[in-house]
Amino acid sequence: MESVYEPYFDPDFDSLIERIHPPRVCIDNDTRQDCTLVKVDSANKHGILLEMVQVLTDLDLVISKSYISSDGGWFMDVFHVTDQLGHKLTDQSLIHYIQQALGAETRRGKGKGSEVETCLGWIVRPRPVSSTDYTAIEMTALDRPGLLSEIAAVLANLGCHVVSSVAWTHNDRAASIFYVEDVLSGGGPICYPERLSHVEKQLDNVVGAHHHHHQLPELGRSAAVRLSTPVGGRSQMERRLHQLMSAMDLGVYDWCCCCSGDGMTEEESRDIVRGSTSEVSIDIESCNERGYSVVNVRSKDRPKLLFDTVCTLTDMKYVVFHATVSSKASLAVQEYYIRHLDGCTLDTEAEKRIVTQGLVAAIERRASHGLRLDVCTGNRVGLLSDVTRVFREHGLSVASAEIGTRGERAIGSFHVTDVSGNEVDSKTVELVRREIGGTILEVQKIPAWLSRSSSCSSSSSSGSSVEKRPRFSLGGLLWAKLERLSNNLGSIRP
């Protein structure tokens, strides 16, 4: 048998530049009175911006402004952040965690670090979830009232304890990820192939039920259940949800294009694809003198908005070379100078349409719809099934959900509407609270970041649509600030 020799590549070669020039991180509480500046200076690589944003997103921090530059093989970024109560970051354990998490060793999985509690009560750990701890279940389906309740009931009956879960709905589609323990085996992941197959089959029967093809036939093929390896971090779960829902959207886009010339106008097909575009405005232009495509996004401001847009651009294989992000009152303005990973710009209308559709969907699918209800109680098997059953019995539909554990406690939040998607009646909410327990279920008050932004400008709150006002170029602001940004980052200490 002939021997085949292959060249040896050092697995650490790709991180050589990062090891020679490790990221420098500075937490600045002196420059601004209203926020903390998180400054990062690092060797550049594809996806580094998303890595930085993921760290801050996992910590439930609000990014009000950001200036980004990554030309010439170097990455510089400044984030203006607060917690969701509008406070600067003064907790030394949180500051230390950010410095470690944004450092090279932790991002390569070698940092030790310790866990930290966010302002919303979530526990964040620097190391990813181990595949030996839980079984991950990914599901996509047509949305319908009571779907989450049915899934949770099946998992409880099968002896699967839901440790954490995130679920989203958008444009009649639903995607969710569950981390479960096998109660019948005393905890840990589901290990036996026969049991894995049985759980997958039972869940597949639930998500595949009641599928109708009267409007969007391609959605009927999107129902799926898949058992996979867990991914680390809340933002990683949310990134995976974006990917799952984007895969479903592709089928809708293709179907709309095929039907646009057969009894459906182009405007009608565009409305189905883009959804509520009155709240999102996206323009894509060319910057020929510098060889970029410029993507301008205007939408309602909310937490994790930057993560959603950067995540979408990254997963669509676009590189962000420069960007500015800012928010004023309830309006968020983002401007990205991008190229495709292969160096090409957005030259065709088809390319621009795909990017526009992807960004609109990513922004809208996480927007809060309905009344937020928070749960905090002792952790036990079947808790998610019991809570969602009460929702279903009182005619409530779950628009989104996030559930997790903190020690022996289970914490989570649900955004609920009635079955028609309208606001929930206060009497119904009170009945639900009584049945679940008033100390367990609480109605979430308006977050501080939203109340502040709403009171800053009455004109911004007078309507739900994004006004198409004459806009200034954030790109010009970026180029003017780059020298100042470099000076600020020059004093960063490792």
Side-chain angles (χ1 to χ4, degrees):
M1 182 176 179
E2 184 179 357
S3 299
V4 178
Y5 295 95
E6 296 181 354
Y8 171 76
F9 291 96
D10 187 344
D12 291 332
F13 180 76
D14 289 339
S15 62
L16 177 61
I17 297 179
E18 187 177 60
R19 285 183 284 122
I20 296 175
H21 302 287
R24 296 182 293 174
V25 182
C26 175
I27 310 297
D28 179 3
N29 269 317
D30 299 326
T31 303
R32 298 291 299 267
Q33 295 182 349
D34 58 341
C35 66
T36 298
L37 302 186
V38 179
K39 306 173 185 179
V40 183
D41 184 4
S42 170
N44 190 28
K45 67 174 184 178
H46 179 59
I48 187 173
L49 174 60
L50 179 58
E51 291 180 16
M52 303 296 177
V53 175
Q54 281 179 336
V55 170
L56 301 179
T57 300
D58 270 345
L59 296 172
D60 294 319
L61 301 178
V62 176
I63 303 173
S64 58
K65 290 183 181 180
S66 183
Y67 303 102
I68 300 157
S69 177
S70 62
D71 258 347
W74 203 254
F75 174 86
M76 296 184 295
D77 198 352
V78 176
F79 298 99
H80 294 222
V81 302
T82 64
D83 64 20
Q84 294 207 14
L85 300 177
H87 301 148
K88 298 171 68 173
L89 311 185
T90 57
D91 186 343
Q92 290 302 313
S93 62
L94 176 61
I95 292 175
H96 181 67
Y97 180 92
I98 294 175
Q99 290 173 328
Q100 283 199 318
L102 296 180
E105 293 300 316
T106 300
R107 291 192 290 112
R108 289 201 300 266
K110 299 180 181 179
K112 294 182 179 179
S114 58
E115 65 184 29
V116 66
E117 182 176 341
T118 75
C119 60
L120 298 183
W122 298 97
I123 299 297
V124 179
R125 297 176 176 87
R127 290 185 293 274
V129 176
S130 171
S131 60
T132 61
D133 295 335
Y134 313 112
T135 295
I137 303 175
E138 298 178 351
M139 283 176 282
T140 56
L142 281 173
D143 188 30
R144 65 177 185 272
L147 176 61
L148 181 60
S149 175
E150 294 174 20
I151 294 172
V154 169
L155 289 173
N157 291 335
L158 292 173
C160 297
H161 174 42
V162 178
V163 178
S164 63
S165 176
V166 180
W168 291 352
T169 62
H170 180 245
N171 281 357
D172 298 323
R173 298 179 295 285
S176 55
I177 298 176
F178 296 84
Y179 285 178
V180 300
E181 290 181 324
D182 190 359
V183 177
L184 300 184
S185 300
I190 304 173
C191 299
Y192 300 104
E194 298 82 3
R195 179 155 167 73
L196 284 169
S197 178
H198 179 64
V199 171
E200 187 172 353
K201 182 178 180 180
Q202 295 301 310
L203 292 173
D204 194 58
N205 291 336
V206 173
V207 302
H210 309 297
H211 273 210
H212 302 291
H213 311 287
H214 60 284
Q215 284 186 328
L216 301 178
E218 288 297 326
L219 283 179
R221 306 177 190 177
S222 298
V225 176
R226 189 172 75 94
L227 278 68
S228 63
T229 302
V231 295
R234 289 166 57 207
S235 59
Q236 290 285 4
M237 290 179 67
E238 293 165 348
R239 182 181 183 182
R240 183 58 185 155
L241 281 178
H242 275 304
Q243 294 170 347
L244 292 173
M245 300 202 80
S246 294
M248 288 191 286
D249 287 339
L250 288 177
V252 181
Y253 300 157
D254 295 340
W255 180 79
C256 289
C257 292
C258 294
C259 295
S260 60
D262 184 17
M264 179 179 291
T265 66
E266 182 180 353
E267 182 178 357
E268 289 173 334
S269 64
R270 185 171 60 251
D271 288 342
I272 291 178
V273 170
R274 297 185 63 179
S276 304
T277 54
S278 61
E279 296 189 357
V280 183
S281 172
I282 296 179
D283 297 313
I284 300 179
E285 304 170 351
S286 297
C287 182
N288 296 325
E289 64 274 14
R290 297 188 181 273
Y292 299 121
S293 292
V294 186
V295 180
N296 297 283
V297 183
R298 296 166 64 88
S299 66
K300 284 187 174 181
D301 190 26
R302 60 168 173 79
K304 301 187 179 182
L305 179 62
L306 178 61
F307 171 82
D308 294 334
T309 52
V310 171
C311 173
T312 301
L313 290 173
T314 303
D315 285 340
M316 297 179 80
K317 308 299 183 184
Y318 288 97
V319 180
V320 177
F321 287 88
H322 303 284
T324 56
V325 176
S326 65
S327 59
K328 183 178 181 181
S330 60
L331 178 66
V333 181
Q334 305 175 71
E335 184 173 66
Y336 298 95
Y337 286 71
I338 67 170
R339 297 189 195 119
H340 196 269
L341 201 56
D342 59 12
C344 298
T345 56
L346 298 172
D347 297 324
T348 67
E349 290 302 317
E351 291 174 320
K352 293 179 181 179
R353 184 167 59 250
I354 291 174
V355 172
T356 298
Q357 292 166 346
L359 289 173
V360 169
I363 292 172
E364 289 184 343
R365 67 172 61 112
R366 199 208 282 270
S368 300
H369 300 290
L371 180 67
R372 174 172 166 172
L373 302 177
D374 289 341
V375 173
C376 182
T377 185
N379 188 23
R380 60 178 174 80
V381 178
L383 175 63
L384 178 61
S385 175
D386 293 341
V387 172
T388 53
R389 174 185 55 79
V390 175
F391 290 165
R392 186 185 71 236
E393 291 175 350
H394 287 81
L396 302 185
S397 180
V398 178
S400 63
E402 182 175 5
I403 303 98
T405 56
R406 183 175 62 188
E408 299 299 321
R409 308 288 290 175
I411 59 175
S413 61
F414 302 85
H415 283 91
V416 298
T417 66
D418 66 15
V419 292
S420 300
N422 300 319
E423 292 293 328
V424 181
D425 182 79
S426 58
K427 294 182 179 179
T428 302
V429 174
E430 186 58 32
L431 290 174
V432 170
R433 291 187 72 241
R434 287 180 184 176
E435 186 165 347
I436 295 178
T439 59
I440 297 176
L441 185 69
E442 293 185 358
V443 179
Q444 175 64 34
K445 297 180 176 62
I446 298 177
W449 69 269
L450 183 58
S451 62
R452 289 197 314 274
S453 62
S454 298
S455 62
C456 288
S457 175
S458 60
S459 61
S460 297
S461 60
S462 59
S464 60
S465 62
V466 176
E467 300 177 21
K468 303 221 173 173
R469 312 169 191 168
R471 58 179 180 80
F472 62 91
S473 173
L474 285 175
L477 177 62
L478 172 65
W479 299 116
K481 285 182 175 287
L482 280 182
E483 182 177 358
R484 183 185 306 172
L485 178 61
S486 301
N487 292 335
N488 289 340
L489 290 169
S491 60
I492 296 177
R493 295 188 299 271

